[in-house]
Amino acid sequence: MFQGQYLWTNEANGESFYSPWMPRQADNVTMTLDLMQAMGAKLKVELITKSLETAGDGTTVGATISLQGTPNEYTATASGVNELVRYKFTVDADVDETIGGVLFRMLDLLWYDTVKA
């Protein structure tokens, strides 16, 4: 999805970036973030959803990843996703840094349907 993406900021209170809208493929989703490097910054990733008929930025569904520091993979899941989804990336520079950044990749979303008995 996003391979080797850098995000930089000089804002200690956060700067947000949005991905393009994507169509959903099922009603549940798992997102995975691979943090490769944090350079004086924190990263928060939220999954935003909305229906096709709704105007505006959409609303956050249950999937949020907030992290600082250690490179690793992080996952979050959400259910009840509407027709469109996108990411909201918020980067916060550490207080003692003049500029901070992160290097990360987002793996492909893993979609699955709710099984009803």
Side-chain angles (χ1 to χ4, degrees):
M1 168 72 50
F2 293 97
Q3 299 295 327
Q5 182 69 52
Y6 279 104
L7 290 178
W8 296 97
T9 186
N10 61 356
E11 299 290 326
N13 58 353
E15 189 169 3
S16 295
F17 306 90
Y18 291 87
S19 74
W21 287 106
M22 303 168 276
R24 77 166 186 190
Q25 298 176 16
D27 60 345
N28 302 298
V29 64
T30 298
M31 67 176 183
T32 302
L33 165 74
D34 183 10
L35 178 66
M36 293 185 269
Q37 188 177 13
M39 299 150 284
K42 296 174 266 186
L43 176 64
K44 179 179 179 183
V45 182
E46 300 171 81
L47 192 67
I48 309 292
T49 187
K50 73 174 191 170
S51 65
L52 290 168
E53 302 84 28
T54 305
D57 293 334
T59 57
T60 301
V61 292
T64 300
I65 299 172
S66 296
L67 52 100
Q68 177 179 6
T70 310
N72 209 338
E73 283 191 3
Y74 302 86
T75 62
T77 60
S79 59
V81 177
N82 289 322
E83 291 91 357
L84 296 173
V85 296
R86 70 177 173 174
Y87 295 112
K88 177 182 178 183
F89 303 102
T90 304
V91 183
D92 296 327
D94 291 342
V95 176
D96 57 342
E97 298 289 331
T98 55
I99 190 167
V102 292
L103 173 61
F104 70 97
R105 66 184 179 135
M106 294 300 298
L107 303 181
D108 289 335
L109 291 170
L110 175 62
W111 296 97
Y112 56 99
D113 288 314
T114 301
V115 178
K116 298 181 182 179

